[in-house]
Amino acid sequence: SPKKTDASTCEISNVASNHPRDQSSNNSPQYRLEAPNTPPIQLHSKACHPGLTAYYNWLSTTTSLYRIYSIPSYANVSVRSDSSLSQNEPSATVSVDSESTFYPAILPMQPSSERGQVPVYLEVTNRTSYESVHVYWVDYKGNEIYKGSIRNGGGIWTQTTYIGHPWTFRKGRDDRQPTGEESVLLKYVPFRIIPTVPGAETAQHGSFNGPIVGIQRFTLKDVPDGFVLREGLSPVCYVEDSIMPEPPLTRTSEVDTSSNNNNNPWASVKPFSPTEMTDAIRWSCLQMQREDAANPGRGLTSAKRLLQYLRNICLHPDEPKYRKLRTGNRICMETIYNTGARGVLLALGFEEHLGYLEMGPGEGKTLSYERIKDVSDAMEAVSKSVNLIENGDDTNVHDRHVIQPEGADGFGRAGFGHADGMNI
């Protein structure tokens, strides 16, 4: 008996039969199923690069898994145009006055130390204009215990602490210890040990030939004149960290002060530089290497899967199906969305919309030459990461078998354990 078909999904057409039995009766119709017309793939992403805001949001979330930098800041600062600094490009300065709103530094956790078992070595440099920076350890009851001072002009303070121990850095003078929230420069707490990889080493031998200890280094700096956070806030200082960096500051000269948008004068910001995108891709590739060092095989799988996606985009720039990834897919979730590969895609301009990562225009439109070149350059960076993970660095005497610091496998937030490779 003939199979029944669903008229809503298929079309039925009459065709002549070539079977010998039916040659004598060409009037007998035969039936053939035709595939329905596939609707065009529509993308919600922009044809041009949307900027790096989504990438920096992801970067802040990812780095906060390893450490927290909480810096006081001011809002409702006034932006004043100043054409005296440059005749060709007027600049702007930020003025903090009595009408500005002060936001103190707040750690997203109970401000007291945990009973840590995994050590971490801190190295902090003072490049601020303050005479000295006072260092306080927050003990198990939440009290600040004075530990020392860092002189300006490049003074360095070192300390061995433990995962989950908060520290407070305050501005002041040598002859007086400051108090109050407005004297705080930074509140900091290490959450996880950073795996060490070639080019971004974060390990050193402990004292007396002890175990290898993780390192976290950063420098306290003054905020340059005419710079603010990307959110428009004016921080009291800036933290420079080459391993787990903060999003860069934004020039106030890049704010459209001539617009009538008084509610959000920071909405119009000039596009990012090509170097900025290259640095974002490079850091994301390093993060995949760290993930492989902590969980062998994970970073390599992510990098190879990402390389396959990027190759398909370059080979088929006019087919949007290769530029639309469903984040709910198990493979995409495990190898792309929850890894450093996501940072590469966001740096390239992928946009998140209703459970999908999308890039570029939809059906009938081809990806621009500039964006194809960006994808090609990213492929080269990811390929280098794959080679480093598989073969190691030729200049590294330990090759790919780098000895990781204690706790780099994700186990160690106060020694409680880990869930899915992450501290709990």
Side-chain angles (χ1 to χ4, degrees):
S1 61
K3 297 182 179 179
K4 295 181 180 181
T5 59
D6 187 356
S8 64
T9 58
C10 299
E11 296 180 359
I12 300 177
S13 62
N14 294 339
V15 296
S17 174
N18 294 323
H19 196 279
R21 183 183 60 187
D22 298 327
Q23 292 298 321
S24 60
S25 178
N26 291 331
N27 295 327
S28 300
Q30 300 292 321
Y31 298 97
R32 181 180 65 191
L33 299 180
E34 293 183 351
N37 293 328
T38 303
I41 298 178
Q42 300 296 335
L43 302 182
H44 297 84
S45 52
K46 300 178 179 65
C48 57
H49 199 294
L52 294 177
T53 299
Y55 166 78
Y56 286 128
N57 291 338
W58 171 84
L59 175 69
S60 297
T61 302
T62 302
T63 55
S64 67
L65 298 175
Y66 297 90
R67 90 291 175 275
I68 288 289
Y69 296 136
S70 183
I71 303 174
S73 59
Y74 289 89
N76 299 326
V77 295
S78 60
V79 182
R80 176 178 58 84
S81 297
D82 186 2
S83 59
S84 63
L85 298 179
S86 174
Q87 296 180 354
N88 299 325
E89 183 179 355
S91 183
T93 58
V94 173
S95 176
V96 178
D97 51 32
S98 59
E99 297 181 357
S100 301
T101 303
F102 176 72
Y103 290 96
I106 299 176
L107 292 175
M109 58 176 290
Q110 182 178 355
S112 61
S113 291
E114 302 170 326
R115 294 290 177 180
Q117 298 180 11
V118 177
V120 57
Y121 182 80
L122 303 183
E123 184 177 297
V124 185
T125 304
N126 179 15
R127 293 286 182 185
T128 68
S129 58
Y130 301 106
E131 181 178 333
S132 62
V133 172
H134 299 289
V135 184
Y136 298 83
W137 169 60
V138 182
D139 67 10
Y140 302 104
K141 295 183 179 180
N143 301 316
E144 290 188 355
I145 308 299
Y146 178 73
K147 289 293 184 178
S149 300
I150 319 174
R151 296 300 302 267
N152 61 3
I156 299 177
W157 174 80
T158 60
Q159 174 76 44
T160 299
T161 184
Y162 292 90
I163 293 297
H165 284 215
W167 292 81
T168 302
F169 299 84
R170 295 178 179 271
K171 56 187 177 183
R173 300 198 305 254
D174 289 341
D175 58 347
R176 179 166 56 90
Q177 294 188 15
T179 59
E181 289 297 327
E182 293 198 1
S183 68
V184 174
L185 280 177
L186 170 71
K187 291 185 178 181
Y188 158 81
V189 57
F191 276 149
R192 299 176 67 192
I193 298 298
I194 305 172
T196 185
V197 295
E201 289 76 10
T202 56
Q204 74 168 14
H205 286 281
S207 59
F208 304 107
N209 296 324
I212 295 181
V213 179
I215 303 175
Q216 294 194 15
R217 297 186 180 96
F218 58 89
T219 301
L220 297 175
K221 289 188 171 184
D222 290 330
V223 177
D225 292 338
F227 280 83
V228 292
L229 297 176
R230 300 180 69 87
E231 299 83 2
L233 300 176
S234 179
V236 300
C237 75
Y238 182 71
V239 176
E240 184 179 85
D241 185 340
S242 61
I243 303 298
M244 290 288 156
E246 289 280 272
L249 299 173
T250 301
R251 287 182 178 272
T252 51
S253 60
E254 296 177 353
V255 179
D256 186 8
T257 57
S258 62
S259 66
N260 296 324
N261 187 1
N262 296 325
N263 294 329
N264 185 15
W266 317 95
S268 178
V269 180
K270 291 182 180 179
F272 58 91
S273 65
T275 303
E276 200 172 342
M277 184 175 66
T278 301
D279 292 342
I281 293 174
R282 176 183 173 274
W283 191 91
S284 301
C285 290
L286 284 173
Q287 182 61 15
M288 285 189 287
Q289 296 177 42
R290 295 188 189 99
E291 291 163 353
D292 193 85
N295 299 281
R298 183 185 183 191
L300 182 60
T301 301
S302 298
K304 287 185 174 180
R305 177 71 61 175
L306 175 62
L307 199 58
Q308 179 182 351
Y309 287 154
L310 299 181
R311 184 180 294 111
N312 287 337
I313 293 174
C314 287
L315 293 177
H316 309 280
D318 57 339
E319 296 190 27
K321 68 179 181 180
Y322 294 109
R323 295 182 269 112
K324 185 173 184 177
L325 307 179
R326 185 166 65 90
T327 57
N329 178 275
R330 181 183 61 84
I331 296 178
C332 180
M333 179 67 72
E334 294 178 356
T335 62
I336 301 295
Y337 196 76
N338 289 337
T339 69
R342 180 181 173 188
V344 175
L345 296 181
L346 293 177
L348 289 173
F350 272 77
E351 302 175 60
E352 297 188 44
H353 184 80
L354 297 177
Y356 288 89
L357 278 169
E358 303 176 350
M359 176 188 185
E363 191 76 29
K365 297 182 180 179
T366 303
L367 201 63
S368 66
Y369 169 78
E370 291 77 10
R371 302 198 71 178
I372 295 175
K373 185 178 184 302
D374 291 341
V375 175
S376 178
D377 293 340
M379 284 181 59
E380 182 179 358
V382 176
S383 297
K384 291 181 179 179
S385 293
V386 171
N387 182 64
L388 284 172
I389 294 174
E390 290 184 326
N391 304 316
D393 187 358
D394 293 337
T395 62
N396 189 351
V397 296
H398 297 292
D399 201 27
R400 72 183 301 265
H401 302 290
V402 178
I403 301 177
Q404 295 296 326
E406 181 184 0
D409 58 353
F411 183 92
R413 170 126 185 236
F416 295 146
H418 63 90
D420 191 26
M422 306 204 35
N423 284 343
I424 59 174

